[in-house]
Amino acid sequence: MFSTRTRWDLQPNPLSILLARRRSQGRELLDLTQANPTLAGIPYPEDLLAPLAHADGLRYEASPFGLAAARAAVSADYRRRGLRVPPEHILLSASTSEAYAFLFKLLADPGDEILVPRPGYPLFDFLATLESVEVRSYPLSFDGAWHPDLPALRAAVGPRSRAIVVVNPNNPTGAFLKQDELAALQEMCAERGLALVSDEVFTDYAFGDDSRRTASVAGDGPALAFALGGLSKSCGLPQLKLAWTAVSGPERLRTEALERLEVIADTYLSVSTPAQLALPVLLARRDALATPIRARILSNLQALRARLADSPATLLAPEGGWYAVLRVPATIGEEERVLRLLEERNLLVHPGYFFDFPHEAHLVLSLLTPADEFCEGLERLRADLE
């Protein structure tokens, strides 16, 4: 009766089972996986949602790419970063997950392949499967910093490959794409007839400056490219459900992509009118909204470096984003360690295998956790490691 696309193993894993049991017992847990800014004690201005009450929100206007004023606001935000993206090259969606779904529909037939980074975002498999698309991973290598393994990526491209996905900065490693890496990726995509899809939701959360980094794939380039962003991370407003895709590359390919995307988007028309009307005001307040998030992240990162400096854990040098990856002794397995932390120390962390790290042992922590909870969690983690 049911589609093979939804034939998942729905049995809860041991960590989920133990977590549910601990919560049902009323245990006070320290959650170092909290990455929802609206639940992490981030302060928001009291008047922030006032623009959602715009009188024009009572009128519905079907606009496949999104309202002109909203797309102009996104275009202006790219201009803030030194990038020229005309409003007519921008498509709004309800989320970056929906943007991926649109792009997989646009680029791939059932059974075609999308190449995604490993380690990386665990939702890719689900998003691709729901579009009947296959996922093939390519490795990120670590030599004191994370890099896409370009020779391995070239070898992974097959006859049914349709796009290469990058996450800039990567989730969860926090590595930014460098300019020479982007040039190599664009050349590879142009040669092989592939699209380049760049998830850039964490781009504004960089740890320091680095002239080697690339801000975005948006702009002139030899390959068809799609840059994804959204309110969820840029303004810490996931509940407003508004994201965007900037389309760039050779004019012929860009024009055809936009024409086809218009039909796809017109089929769904999923973006809320009040959210679109509020977007110019919200993006104008972007710095003020991101500042407390950035302060929390940097404070927790500093605490992490200080409290685990002489411990058996090694921080794998993030360049940005909301997460930190720790390499820990592989004396026990990741699953055994996270279960022990939860059972014995009431501490919740992500195991590395959630993000498809190729080998053990890694733990992933959210830097968005409230500072006092984060520091207490680090003490418990250090005690377990020692």
Side-chain angles (χ1 to χ4, degrees):
M1 174 182 286
F2 299 110
S3 165
T4 57
R5 289 173 301 197
T6 59
R7 190 180 293 163
W8 301 302
D9 180 2
L10 300 178
Q11 295 301 312
N13 61 48
L15 180 58
S16 298
I17 293 171
L18 178 58
L19 180 59
R21 184 167 74 244
R22 303 297 274 185
R23 285 175 170 163
S24 70
Q25 294 168 345
R27 297 292 186 93
E28 290 288 336
L29 301 177
L30 283 178
D31 185 356
L32 299 195
T33 70
Q34 180 57 262
N36 179 346
T38 69
L39 299 179
I42 298 295
Y44 291 90
E46 292 185 0
D47 65 342
L48 183 59
L49 298 184
L52 293 172
H54 196 296
D56 287 349
L58 295 173
R59 184 177 69 250
Y60 176 63
E61 176 185 340
S63 179
F65 280 2
L67 299 178
R71 290 185 288 121
V74 176
S75 177
D77 194 63
Y78 275 109
R79 197 159 55 248
R80 171 187 65 87
R81 292 193 277 151
L83 299 164
R84 183 182 176 277
V85 183
E88 57 269 24
H89 296 173
I90 293 167
L91 161 69
L92 302 185
S93 59
S95 64
T96 51
S97 292
E98 184 177 61
Y100 279 118
F102 284 4
L103 294 178
F104 293 168
K105 289 178 176 68
L106 170 72
L107 298 168
D109 288 323
D112 285 343
E113 295 175 345
I114 305 295
L115 291 100
V116 304
R118 180 189 186 196
Y121 187 44
L123 204 57
F124 282 137
D125 283 336
F126 291 93
L127 292 170
T129 299
L130 288 171
E131 303 303 325
S132 298
V133 174
E134 302 293 326
V135 165
R136 177 177 289 195
S137 64
Y138 65 89
L140 303 179
S141 58
F142 184 78
D143 58 3
W146 293 94
H147 306 281
D149 186 331
L150 294 175
L153 175 54
R154 290 188 183 93
V157 174
R160 300 204 66 174
S161 299
R162 296 295 177 263
I164 296 173
V165 174
V166 297
V167 184
N168 187 36
N170 179 265
N171 175 8
T173 69
F176 273 90
L177 197 65
K178 308 305 185 293
Q179 294 176 20
D180 59 337
E181 294 165 347
L182 174 59
L185 286 168
Q186 288 179 323
E187 181 181 357
M188 188 187 313
C189 287
E191 288 177 353
R192 306 279 186 106
L194 305 173
L196 182 60
V197 179
S198 180
D199 187 329
E200 299 170 356
V201 297
F202 288 113
T203 296
D204 283 326
Y205 298 95
F207 307 150
D209 297 324
D210 187 339
S211 60
R212 300 172 302 162
R213 295 175 188 158
T214 183
S216 176
V217 305
D220 295 333
L224 179 64
F226 304 88
L228 278 56
L231 286 180
S232 176
K233 304 302 187 298
S234 64
C235 294
L237 296 171
Q239 71 275 40
L240 294 193
K241 306 304 296 178
L242 198 156
W244 49 83
T245 302
V247 185
S248 59
E251 182 177 1
R252 179 184 62 80
L253 292 174
R254 184 186 67 235
T255 298
E256 184 170 356
L258 287 166
E259 290 172 348
R260 293 177 179 231
L261 280 169
E262 183 172 11
V263 177
I264 294 170
D266 192 37
T267 304
Y268 291 88
L269 295 173
S270 56
V271 189
S272 156
T273 296
Q276 293 185 69
L277 292 169
L279 185 60
V281 177
L282 295 173
L283 286 180
R285 302 179 71 172
R286 178 188 201 133
D287 287 343
L289 294 171
T291 293
I293 296 175
R294 191 175 294 111
R296 170 77 59 80
I297 291 167
L298 292 174
S299 174
N300 282 344
L301 183 60
Q302 183 179 17
L304 178 60
R305 287 172 171 149
R307 291 176 185 249
L308 297 183
D310 299 318
S311 78
T314 302
L315 175 65
L316 300 188
E319 297 178 69
W322 290 7
Y323 292 93
V325 177
L326 298 178
R327 186 169 57 219
V328 297
T331 50
I332 62 174
E334 286 175 354
E335 184 167 77
E336 182 180 352
R337 188 176 295 280
V338 297
L339 290 173
R340 187 172 77 183
L341 286 167
L342 185 55
E343 183 73 55
E344 298 181 3
R345 302 186 186 274
N346 292 322
L347 178 65
L348 179 62
V349 299
H350 285 307
Y353 69 80
F354 275 13
F355 297 87
D356 203 20
F357 279 82
H359 56 80
E360 296 199 5
H362 299 88
L363 302 177
V364 179
L365 315 181
S366 169
L367 294 170
L368 207 60
T369 308
D372 55 345
E373 296 178 26
F374 190 77
C375 290
E376 172 60 24
L378 294 181
E379 294 300 327
R380 298 184 191 184
L381 175 59
R382 178 165 185 148
D384 182 81
L385 292 172
E386 294 178 342

